[in-house]
Amino acid sequence: MSSTPENPRVVIIGAGIVGCSLADELTARGWTDVTVLEQGPLPAPGGSTSHAPGLVFQTSPSRTLTLFARYTVEKFRSLEADGVPCFDPVGGLELATTPERLAELHRRAGYAASWGVRGEVVSAARCKELWPLIDESIVLGGFHTPDDGLARALLASRAQMDRAVARGARFLDRHTVTGIEKENGRVTAVVTDRGTFPADHVVSAAGFWGPVIGRMAGVDVPLQPLAHQYAKTRPLAELGGHRREATRPILRFQDRDLYFREHTDRIGIGSYAHRPLPVDPFAVPAYDEARAQDLDMPSSYPFTPEDWAPSWEDCRRLIPALRATEIDTGFNGVFSFTPDGMPVLGESRDLRGFWLAEAVWVTHSAGVAKAVAEWMVDGRPSLDVHECDLTRFEEAQRSPAYVRDRGAQQFVEVYDVIHPLQPLERPRPLRVSPFHARQERLGAYFLEGGGWERPHWYEANAALVEGLDLPERDAWSARHWSPIAAAEAKATRERVALYDMTPLRRLEVTGPGALGFLDRMTTNNLRKKPGAVTYTLLLDHSGGIRSDLTVARLGPDRFQVGANSPADLDWLLRHAPDDVHITDVTSGTCCIGVWGPLARALVQPLTRDDFSHEAFGYFRARRTYLGHVPVTAMRLSYVGELGWELYTTADLGLRLWDTLWEAGRHLGVIAAGRSAFNSLRLEKGYRAWGVDMTDEHTPYEAGLGFAVRPDKEFTGRDALRARDAENVTRRLTPLLLDDPAAVVLGKEPVFVDGAPAGYVTSASYGYTLGRCVAYAWLPPLPVGTAAHIEYFGEKVPATVAEEPLFDPKMTRIRR
């Protein structure tokens, strides 16, 4: 069959659950020239799918992963092979044996309500009813999800393979990929030991062999395979007489890193309690080599009893019936982890037409396949996948050592109770701003993001807390928080503070075509004189918000772009013409935000230039000197106060900090952290991309219509014109909690008239307002509408507020 734009040639590498699901999804969308290559035998080729225990727990802190899992359940429930259903909806049950875990289960129930999964926290007695073999006396409660269950991965693979073949796809086993051919930056073919297969698109769905395929293509795949213990007991008398494979919910004992499922009259047990067992993907044997080494399959390594012993004691404590039996069989199964535990999806910019669908578990397989198929066929997934985008990792996060260390840590923390602000422990510190030594001296409490050490507050400001009237916090919201943040927010509102904004991404865009290119790519008018700064949006072709940017025109053909993630750089580079040059200058530069009513009094004596409001207005930029330091000063404020973002090169950063610090001593200047920053920006209603809005949302829904100029050409304009700017069905809505002592943190479900109506995106206590501020995606609601936010099972009253909540006339910024 010859290739056409409507039916291009696709080669999928790997016939596990992801490859089979993707072939089905692509052929269902009319791309039928699909070839799936597999090095092992079909239908059980020996990768992770072949040994997967098949547990599907849908609920996750990640909305994206939860929706992937929801689709997987929905699809697999509709499939069967040889008359056997591909999914058994036995339900799921997560147990709590500690108060901390029980609180976590209430939080998970909140996620379920936010993302549309049925589930409830149940009593220990109900847990015993659902799983009669457990020792009820050690259980405090559980989280029951009736729609979870067991995916029969090999059957689901075969069912989808059969459907894809019926539409024209072909599956070829015993074909080992040996190379990827390319020409002019595009993939052209896949080379195997049994021939070459021309291709317009190649998808690596090779599982833990992903880094091997990636190296052939010259594409980095940040994935670390690890071995995970799984064992089956001997037959149990208590399970005798059952004919079904499973009758009880799949069970998780997360306090001991264990899970359980029935295998008719036996129990299968998986453990994450053991030491990380990393596997070199380049050393994994091929199928026949594995068999020659007495392994069942390449993904099945020998069981290590010494690692199992502690877990076996925990199993017997939870399920007393196991004390009368032993383990019959066991193996260490290999599967994939990334530095952040999320899949790696998308098309490489360096090799167009080469796609990744890697680090995907059976739980999310069909959902991932649907998203990747939509991406390939329609140009974008219908679901936000920025957490999974292959571009999300910084260069500093791609070293083999980093991927190994963080992958191992993800394994260790699979079942841990993880606070949303909790950073991984190693390797730290990795990226530090030039001010790091000064911040340490001030007692900075550092958290981490994108590899950067980010001060959240400074112990040097502890004395400022005295006299503040702050409500008591519960143990969860008090983690990675300090009342010092309130003092820093107050000092910013009343005096002046220095904020380290270095981790904010900075792109330099230059060249004769720079103005036209940026104006065409973004929604706002950039055709302004040099010195102008513009807030604008990057949209995709369907009108969804890919990012929000600040664009400073520093010269006729020179721009500095404040962006969000590596994906912004990738998107711009994909579309840039030859006369435009784009460089990420973040690491070579630094930034200090000087904000507060005394900001001008601090900076003006340091420069000969006029920093008055009349001479240096809001959203303006200029090159100047502060003392001995050349800076680019931008009159911007994300905290709702007078001030500037001051940029210089990294080598001069420490001098800039010291200059500002010394000049501000008599004004009572302080250093302030991200905790105060987040509170201040939410009081002002400033959105954070990736948290408050994604490409699932339009500017009008997100309250950013002011940044759209529909009378000019820009990417996504036609799609946006087709949408009614006024009659939207959802809005990013500010809520104020009624109780001054109440706090929520984000991702909690919101109820209106007693029914789930949406979910919180970001939240923080507003120290100026004396209330917690929560933004949420909700149907359009009048100001004053009563709502409830569910926080650890409690319904917290809140009210829809009018924004901006603080300084609606902008008098504090424009002075």
Side-chain angles (χ1 to χ4, degrees), residues 46-53 206-209 223-230 272 274 277-285 295 297-302 331-337 360-361 411:
S48 299
T49 301
S50 300
H51 66 65
F208 54 77
W209 281 289
L223 175 160
Q224 175 62 55
L226 288 115
H228 158 63
Q229 291 200 301
Y230 191 78
Y272 293 99
H274 56 83
L277 299 168
V279 173
D280 181 358
F282 294 90
V284 176
L295 301 176
M297 60 187 79
S299 61
S300 177
Y301 278 48
F331 65 97
N332 291 359
V334 182
F335 63 141
S336 303
F337 285 82
V360 181
W361 294 6
F411 178 92

Side-chain angles (χ1 to χ4, degrees), residues 591-722:
C591 177
I592 299 174
V594 182
W595 291 312
L598 302 181
R600 183 174 288 114
L602 192 157
V603 297
Q604 183 62 80
L606 299 173
T607 177
R608 293 180 178 178
D609 290 323
D610 187 352
F611 270 53
S612 68
H613 180 66
E614 294 73 21
F616 196 159
Y618 193 50
F619 268 84
R620 300 293 299 172
R622 67 168 53 164
R623 293 281 296 169
T624 187
Y625 288 88
L626 295 182
H628 299 92
V629 183
V631 300
T632 299
M634 297 187 194
R635 178 98 183 269
L636 305 176
S637 174
Y638 284 92
V639 300
E641 294 294 335
L642 170 69
W644 288 265
E645 292 178 0
L646 304 173
Y647 298 89
T648 192
T649 52
D651 60 320
L652 290 167
L654 196 58
R655 185 59 176 261
L656 177 60
W657 179 281
D658 289 344
T659 298
L660 295 169
W661 188 259
E662 188 61 34
R665 279 181 180 275
H666 71 288
L667 301 171
V669 69
I670 67 162
R674 298 284 301 182
S675 187
F677 175 88
N678 200 45
S679 170
L680 297 170
R681 71 104 181 160
L682 279 172
E683 288 185 330
K684 197 60 184 162
Y686 293 142
R687 279 70 166 139
W689 188 87
V691 179
D692 297 316
M693 66 220 183
T694 68
D695 61 5
E696 287 189 33
H697 309 111
T698 70
Y700 305 127
E701 294 171 330
L704 298 176
F706 67 87
V708 177
R709 296 292 178 268
D711 56 337
K712 70 159 213 168
E713 293 288 339
F714 60 84
T715 300
R717 186 187 73 162
D718 292 343
L720 209 56
R721 277 182 167 176

Side-chain angles (χ1 to χ4, degrees), residues 170-241:
R170 57 177 175 168
F171 285 72
L172 303 176
D173 63 1
R174 299 291 188 175
H175 281 65
T176 300
V177 174
T178 59
I180 306 291
E181 293 186 349
K182 44 196 145 178
E183 185 176 339
N184 298 325
R186 281 204 67 89
V187 69
T188 58
V190 177
V191 183
T192 76
D193 58 352
R194 297 177 65 179
T196 298
F197 296 83
D200 302 300
H201 295 274
V202 173
V203 185
S204 177
F208 54 77
W209 281 289
V212 179
I213 301 301
R215 179 175 292 184
M216 295 178 192
V219 174
D220 180 43
V221 181
L223 175 160
Q224 175 62 55
L226 288 115
H228 158 63
Q229 291 200 301
Y230 191 78
K232 291 182 184 177
T233 67
R234 293 174 180 172
L236 292 176
E238 290 83 354
L239 298 180

Side-chain angles (χ1 to χ4, degrees), residues 233-305:
T233 67
R234 293 174 180 172
L236 292 176
E238 290 83 354
L239 298 180
H242 291 309
R243 293 188 177 182
R244 287 182 56 191
E245 180 182 3
T247 60
R248 297 174 176 86
I250 51 178
L251 183 69
R252 289 207 279 199
F253 183 20
Q254 290 151 302
D255 288 324
R256 289 295 182 268
D257 297 309
L258 293 164
Y259 63 81
F260 305 82
R261 58 153 294 181
E262 293 172 288
H263 292 278
T264 311
D265 61 351
R266 304 166 187 250
I267 294 180
I269 308 166
S271 172
Y272 293 99
H274 56 83
R275 63 193 166 94
L277 299 168
V279 173
D280 181 358
F282 294 90
V284 176
Y287 188 89
D288 293 328
E289 294 172 355
R291 301 288 286 182
Q293 298 173 27
D294 293 325
L295 301 176
D296 288 339
M297 60 187 79
S299 61
S300 177
Y301 278 48
F303 194 64
T304 49

